[in-house]
Amino acid sequence: MPSETERCFPALRLSARIMDSLSPNFSSARAWCVPCLVSLDTLQELCRKEKLTCKSIGITKRNLNNYEVEYLCDYKVVKDMEYYLVKWKGWPDSTNTWEPLQNLKCPLLLQQFSNDKHNYLSQVKKGKAITLKENHRALKPAVAEYIVKKAKQRIALQRWQDELNRRKTHKGMIFVENTVDLEGPPSDFYYINEYKPAPGISLVNEATFGCSCRDCFFEKCCPAEAGVLLAYNKNQQLKIPPGAPIYECNSRCQCGPDCPNRIVQKGTQYSLCIFRTSNGCGWGVKTLVKIKRMSFVMEYVGEVITSEEAERRGQLYDNKGITYLFDLDYESDEFTVDAARYGNVSHFVNHSCDPNLQVFNVFIDNLDTRLPRIALFSTRTINAGEELTFDYQMKSSGDVSSDSIDHSPAKKRARTVCKCGSVTCRGYLN
């Protein structure tokens, strides 16, 4: 006889039967997952009925039998007493209740409610501002609806922020902020920390040789073996010109993790914020701390694809007005990095014709010159709160010229208007 859970979720019962039909070794080695088609409210109600906890849907031991304010939905005044409609954390909307202000011990949520109400009213067109009627003493439905949407958005962005920080492998923290509109987390983006090769492409991440230096500043280190200069000074800042390659010490080197020639491989050291821009450029990235000039900021990672596949995808992206393709053209033009679906924080960095980030080719464990890692370094001091940008037309050689734009009839594409607003703006991204 099916259990309560199986009666509610036939897909789960089917999954269990499939598991039972498998061999013992296989079924014990791998778990099966199926999509759940019921609403979050139904899942929460079932958990509370069965006294079950499930952190992923907001049911914890702390709130299984207790009530915690998740957000405030509405406001009214009855007999000179203020009331707020409360959404309880881990409980469905059907259990929302009106509570007197004096019973609410959530100053942050009250402030957010007030701010959201003010922001909505300030966005209403001039001459059509919505105000509270003194004889009604309640919010207009449109205002309450907006406040609930903002609250739900805030929760979704916090969950996304937590997920990004779980997935990252670098020191710097990632924050998410949207004070502009109701846009939530992207639905088709997956955070990765290194290149993801497309089917048929092999990335050999194992160096064939390494240095035996005691002090890589003064001995013949990896850059010298490659015939180039050491890229960094003792302050971990670049001392080479744009276009020059960077060869860092690798996994075969005998120097330790504190070697001054290990910078890019340590990942982003700065706390960055993915934020919603107010100039129509969608998401952007800003630094939360001061960054010195010529300092490593982040890598540009994504899916490594062939140039032929990049041409096909590029036409689709241009028609949508998006640009995520970066040609790996240090010595050849065989491969491209596509950060549209798979990427890191750099996925959200906007273009500028007057950028504060510069592109450099980096070689560490993979010394194949067709597949350099792409690192972004600051071109000047960047203050806390300033948006980070790089030039989408910048070639990995460091040059920016009309040659980087292909105007041949066979590759004619839709032009994407540039919104960077700089004095030197070229007008288009491609």
Side-chain angles (χ1 to χ4, degrees), residues 82-95:
E82 295 179 281
Y83 288 85
Y84 286 86
L85 183 60
V86 174
K87 166 64 172 68
W88 300 104
K89 189 172 184 177
W91 295 84
D93 291 342
S94 59
T95 62

Side-chain angles (χ1 to χ4, degrees), residues 77-369:
V77 177
V78 179
K79 296 181 179 180
D80 296 327
M81 181 174 288
E82 295 179 281
Y83 288 85
Y84 286 86
L85 183 60
V86 174
K87 166 64 172 68
W88 300 104
K89 189 172 184 177
W91 295 84
D93 291 342
S94 59
T95 62
N96 292 359
T97 58
W98 287 96
E99 300 294 333
L101 174 59
Q102 63 189 34
N103 290 353
L104 298 177
K105 309 300 180 184
C106 50
L108 177 59
L109 295 180
L110 287 166
Q111 186 61 53
Q112 289 175 345
F113 184 94
S114 177
N115 292 343
D116 292 341
K117 181 182 72 172
H118 174 76
N119 290 338
Y120 179 83
L121 296 179
S122 65
Q123 291 172 12
V124 177
K125 293 182 179 180
K126 189 177 181 180
K128 297 182 180 179
I130 298 176
T131 58
L132 291 174
K133 294 183 180 180
E134 291 186 3
N135 61 341
H136 192 230
R137 311 189 77 179
L139 292 183
K140 293 279 189 177
V143 182
E145 181 181 357
Y146 173 83
I147 290 174
V148 170
K149 287 181 179 179
K150 284 298 294 183
K152 290 182 177 180
Q153 178 205 48
R154 194 175 290 114
I155 293 171
L157 292 179
Q158 180 62 53
R159 287 176 178 169
W160 184 40
Q161 176 180 299
D162 294 341
E163 179 186 356
L164 294 177
N165 283 290
R166 282 194 302 269
R167 291 182 177 275
K168 73 173 180 66
T169 57
H170 52 76
K171 177 182 177 181
M173 295 295 294
I174 303 172
F175 296 87
V176 180
E177 173 187 292
N178 185 352
T179 60
V180 175
D181 55 30
L182 293 171
E183 187 73 14
S187 59
D188 193 25
F189 174 73
Y190 305 93
Y191 195 94
I192 58 176
N193 293 286
E194 57 187 14
Y195 285 161
K196 175 183 173 63
I201 296 178
S202 176
L203 299 180
V204 180
N205 289 315
E206 184 176 352
T208 55
F209 65 89
C211 73
S212 57
C213 304
R214 291 186 177 180
D215 190 335
C216 293
F217 264 128
F218 300 105
E219 300 180 48
K220 189 177 181 180
C221 193
C222 299
E225 293 289 347
V228 300
L229 296 174
L230 182 70
Y232 311 112
N233 62 25
K234 289 190 175 182
N235 295 321
Q236 301 184 347
Q237 294 169 291
L238 277 180
K239 61 178 184 179
I240 59 174
I246 298 173
Y247 279 82
E248 291 195 357
C249 292
N250 57 60
S251 57
R252 286 187 175 269
C253 295
Q254 296 182 22
C255 55
D258 296 328
C259 169
N261 193 34
R262 296 181 185 272
I263 302 298
V264 172
Q265 60 195 266
K266 291 182 178 179
T268 300
Q269 301 294 298
Y270 306 104
S271 290
L272 305 175
C273 179
I274 301 170
F275 75 105
R276 196 70 177 170
T277 63
S278 58
N279 61 354
C281 290
W283 295 102
V285 178
K286 61 183 177 182
T287 176
L288 299 180
V289 295
K290 183 178 180 179
I291 300 175
K292 295 180 179 180
R293 66 183 298 272
M294 307 305 287
S295 298
F296 170 66
V297 180
M298 70 180 77
E299 273 193 81
Y300 191 89
V301 303
E303 185 182 9
V304 178
I305 59 177
T306 63
S307 295
E308 293 77 15
E309 175 63 12
E311 179 62 29
R312 185 190 71 81
R313 295 187 188 186
Q315 294 183 16
L316 298 175
Y317 295 160
D318 288 343
N319 291 333
K320 296 179 180 179
I322 59 177
T323 306
Y324 293 108
L325 299 175
F326 199 110
D327 293 332
L328 299 179
D329 53 4
Y330 172 64
E331 280 196 356
S332 62
D333 193 12
E334 295 182 44
F335 301 106
T336 296
V337 176
D338 181 5
R341 293 188 67 199
Y342 301 93
N344 61 1
V345 177
S346 64
H347 167 98
F348 302 96
V349 175
N350 282 318
H351 161 85
S352 175
C353 298
D354 183 23
N356 51 24
L357 299 179
Q358 172 77 42
V359 174
F360 282 83
N361 295 285
V362 183
F363 299 94
I364 306 176
D365 282 319
N366 189 341
L367 302 179
D368 188 341
T369 55

